């Protein structure tokens, strides 16, 4: 799961959302230096990642990409799944996507002092290019994958993955729907234990 899904699966608490959003850059027990709700978000993120990576449906999606993209297949599927969440947003939320995204950007601004340096550095480009909202289109996904490919010094070839997205669009969407039904339940349960 990528940014949008992690934020969505955090429930209504802004600090849990923030923790879940910035968790990738926080190693080991470093999470203990953050406020309690941010810690919950970080732990929820770790749970979601572990659960996702071992899920049969997710692995089915990555298998389609593995030969061409190798260990980047999982990263690509994370982004592809965010595309289907954004595209089908009204199925999962009563709040429209644009409002949801803007509220999250505002909460990042309001809680700037507790963000990691990496997150603070990411914010300007993320909000300027409106990444979370752009996931709803294949063009938006293309842009994100191109940006990520540049960060991998163009060795990942992720920028070409929209070709597979278009070719196997129906299969990816069906797999996302099946997987997301499950991860929603699992994330809710995990939140209750944190």
């Amino acid at each position: 799961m990528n940014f949008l899904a992690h934020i969505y699966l955090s429930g209504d608490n802004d600090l849990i959302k923030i923790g879940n959003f910035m968790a990738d850059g926080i190693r080991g027990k470093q999470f203990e230096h953050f406020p309690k709700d941010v810690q919950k978000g970080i732990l929820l993120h770790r749970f979601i990642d572990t659960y996702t990576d071992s899920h049969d449906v997710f692995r089915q999606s990555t298998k389609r990409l593995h030969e061409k993209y190798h260990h980047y297949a999982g990263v690509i599927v994370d982004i592809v799944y965010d595309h289907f969440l954004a595209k089908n947003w009204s199925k999962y939320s009563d709040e429209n996507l644009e409002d949801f995204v803007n509220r999250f950007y505002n909460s990042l601004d309001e809680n700037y002092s507790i963000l990691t340096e990496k997150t603070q550095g990411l914010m300007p480009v993320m909000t300027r290019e409106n990444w979370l909202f752009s996931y709803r289109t294949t063009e938006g996904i293309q842009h994100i994958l191109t940006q990520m490919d540049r960060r991998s010094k163009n060795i990942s070839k992720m920028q070409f993955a929209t070709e597979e997205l278009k070719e196997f669009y129906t299969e990816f969407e069906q797999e996302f729907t099946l997987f997301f039904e499950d991860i929603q339940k699992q994330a809710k349960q995990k939140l209750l234990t944190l």
Side-chain angles (χ1 to χ4, degrees):
M1 305 268 76
N2 202 42
F3 292 141
L4 184 61
H6 274 290
I7 297 161
Y8 173 82
L9 292 169
S10 297
D12 294 326
N13 183 311
D14 284 347
L15 292 181
I16 293 177
K17 287 178 184 178
I18 288 170
N20 200 340
F21 169 70
M22 67 181 186
D24 273 334
I26 300 163
R27 302 284 168 243
K29 291 189 175 255
Q30 291 175 347
F31 77 95
E32 293 173 348
H33 301 292
F34 292 93
K36 270 281 182 239
D37 284 342
V38 175
Q39 289 182 33
K40 287 180 183 179
I42 294 164
L43 293 173
L44 178 62
H45 181 104
R46 291 175 180 179
F47 167 79
I48 290 168
D49 278 359
T50 302
Y51 189 83
T52 299
D53 290 344
S54 63
H55 199 284
D56 288 343
V57 176
F58 184 83
R59 292 170 75 122
Q60 189 176 323
S61 291
T62 60
K63 210 176 282 181
R64 197 175 288 119
L65 301 171
H66 197 269
E67 189 178 330
K68 187 172 177 183
Y69 302 102
H70 311 288
H71 70 273
Y72 293 102
V75 176
I76 295 165
V77 173
D78 281 343
I79 293 164
V80 164
Y81 278 16
D82 260 15
H83 164 66
F84 290 113
L85 174 57
K87 176 190 169 221
N88 299 299
W89 185 259
S90 62
K91 182 177 171 183
Y92 301 103
S93 178
D94 293 333
E95 181 178 21
N96 77 53
L97 179 60
E98 196 167 12
D99 290 345
F100 177 87
V101 165
N102 287 331
R103 263 191 329 109
F104 180 69
Y105 292 152
N106 288 337
S107 76
L108 289 176
D109 280 336
E110 290 163 9
N111 294 284
Y112 189 83
S113 63
I114 63 167
L115 303 179
T116 61
E117 278 184 41
K118 181 182 175 185
T119 305
Q120 290 173 348
L122 185 69
M123 273 180 61
V125 68
M126 182 183 178
T127 53
R128 185 178 63 247
E129 296 179 4
N130 201 359
W131 287 358
L132 298 175
F133 191 67
S134 74
Y135 288 148
R136 72 197 192 294
T137 66
T138 51
E139 294 78 22
I141 295 300
Q142 174 74 55
H143 178 70
I144 298 295
L145 289 169
T146 301
Q147 299 284 82
M148 293 181 81
D149 192 43
R150 283 192 193 124
R151 272 187 256 142
S152 74
K153 299 188 179 16
N154 300 317
I155 59 165
S156 71
K157 307 290 182 234
M158 281 191 269
Q159 69 186 51
F160 302 112
T162 48
E163 293 169 16
E164 284 81 10
L165 172 58
K166 290 171 185 170
E167 185 180 350
F168 300 104
Y169 198 85
T170 304
E171 292 88 339
F172 279 126
E173 187 162 21
Q174 287 168 347
E175 288 158 2
F176 162 78
T177 304
L178 206 57
F179 171 77
F180 205 67
E181 212 171 279
D182 187 25
I183 196 66
Q184 283 181 92
K185 291 177 200 154
Q186 299 300 325
K188 269 185 194 156
Q189 281 300 113
K190 185 63 179 177
L191 264 174
L192 295 175
T193 69
L194 293 174

